[in-house]
Every structure is written in C-alpha cells, then in structure tokens.
Amino acid sequence: MGEQNPFATEGNWYRGNLHTHSNESDGDLSPAEMCEVYRDAGYDFLYMTDHHRVTEVAGLSAEGFLALPGAELSGMAGERYVDLLTINITELPEPCKGAPANEVIAAARAMGGAVILAHSYDLQLSDVLGLDGLVGMEVYNHSVHMNVKRGYAVGHWDGALARERELLGFATDDSHYHFNETRPNDVCGGWIMVKAAELNGAAIFEAICAGQFYASNGPAFEAVEARTGTVYARTAEPCRSINFQGHAWRTSRSFTPINGSPIREAEFELADDQRYVRVECTAHDGSTAWTQPIYFA
C-alpha cells in the first residue's frame, strides 16, 4: 500500500462520515435533516447506513455535498453477533442478517459493496481474524465512545495487522442524533479524510477501497512520506505525540517530548524486518488521527 499513500498522490481532500442512521431505522432525524447537519458542518460526503435498510438518498445531494447509499448489516461470527457497515450498495443483499457473517460479507461484496467491521471493541481478536472479505474495521466509533466509552478498537486493528490481515482503519460517527444532559451528541466526532480525483460517488468509493484516506477524531496530518529507510510525518497543528506502529515493539516508536512541548514532525527509522508502519498523532486534548499502513514487504 506504499504506492497508495494518499499524501503522495494527486487529488483533493474530502471529509466524510461512513456510518449514519436516520429515522428510517433508529435515528432521530430524517435523512434530509441528517444530511443538513453534516453539510452545515463542512462535510463533503455522507453515507446513509440505516439498519438492514438501504435508505433512499436520491435528491439529498447538493452542490459540494454527496449523499451516498449503504446499510448496516449483521451476522454471526461463531456464537458472537457482529455488525457489518456496508457502503456502496443500492439494495439489501441476501442474507443481510442472522446468517454467518462471512456469508453476509460475500453477498454484499457480490453486489459491489465494501464491508467494514463496526464497533468491534467488545469482540475478540479471534472474531476479527475469522472474518473474510472485510475492507477494514472501525478503530474509532464516536457514538459508542459518547455512550459507554468503548469506541476505540485500535488494539484489534494492530493485532490483525501483525497477523498479516491487511485491514484499513476507519473513524466513524455511527450517528443517531441521540444525546441528553450527560451524553454529548454523536454527530461530527469521527471522520475520514479521503484523497480523490473529484467529488463523486465512484471516485470517493474507489479511493476508500484503495486506502487513500486517513481517519481522525480531531487532528490532521499535513504530510506522510516513505523515504529511503525512514518514514516522515508532519501534522497540521502542534500535537502531544507522533507515533509509528509496526508489527512488533521493535518496529514501533513514539515521539513524545518529555517536557510537554508540542511536536509537529517526526521521522522514524525503519527496522530491518519492518513489514509495515502506520502513523498516528495525538493532540493535547487526547484526540487522534490514524494513517493507513504503509507496507514494505
């Protein structure tokens, strides 16, 4: 995936959310109202992914904003129930729930869809490794984080990557517009920044599947470069740390100034057996951005 590093390709950056629910399933707002929330927040695209339903998005796009189709499906990974965020489908596959998850994934892929493992904090790594055909997994789910603080699943991602499962990492909202006096709203808190040639459904979907994006719930990357023997990263704003993660501790390193001073750039020397490296930066408020893995062997 080194040659697919979005920072090394031509195109424009587009911000989007891939996990959205409306009142067509269990959200509080209509599809049009939910699109308005994201459009007003400066998003460029939004996948509508109601539960076991492909909600009609025709007429919801506007100048500079795309509403795109998808659905949240489900299946069984052994004895465990898993949710399968599916984008780029215009009708439900058969099966779409209750069946073995691998059958649901295969049916969705046969229809041209891409499947992302949703809110996987409560799963076991063995569950993740037992799923075939995933394009990636949610490493951050904002709604789950706002509700029960179980929205991060970076450990599962690293475990899968170390075992040579080339999964992409996504940050999503899983937005329902649910909130109360002790629970913040679950919109506009997790997103991906996609590098695509233009803002249309085909270009956005192709770029996502190719790993031409990074995920974030706060900070932004300005540059990531694979150099001779090193990987260099620079952030858009000062951060608390910049971390490089490989398949083992000896292929990883954190750059965190001990005096608490901000850091904006770091360069990591690759190990002799470096299979891949992904980069993450963490802001002083704890929010994080994650690149996709860059592979070397």
Side-chain angles (χ1 to χ4, degrees), residues 6 24 48 50 92-93 102 104-105 132 151 158 168 183 199 213-214 232 261 268 276 283 286:
E24 295 291 324
M48 193 66 62
D50 282 314
L92 288 179
N102 283 333
V104 179
I105 295 169
D132 298 321
D158 280 335
L168 301 172
R183 181 189 185 219
L199 185 62
F213 67 93
Y214 68 89
Y232 166 83
S261 62
F268 169 65
Y276 66 87

Side-chain angles (χ1 to χ4, degrees), residues 146-203:
M146 291 297 98
N147 190 23
V148 292
K149 293 296 182 287
R150 298 165 82 92
Y152 287 90
V154 179
H156 287 343
W157 190 30
D158 280 335
L161 292 175
R163 289 159 179 80
E164 301 185 5
R165 296 295 296 272
E166 296 188 5
L167 297 177
L168 301 172
F170 294 83
T172 72
D173 272 345
D174 194 0
S175 50
H176 297 73
Y177 212 75
H178 291 168
F179 59 97
N180 56 42
E181 64 275 6
T182 60
R183 181 189 185 219
N185 204 335
D186 58 7
V187 301
C188 304
W191 58 86
I192 62 172
M193 296 296 300
V194 179
K195 188 73 153 307
E198 56 185 318
L199 185 62
N200 65 55

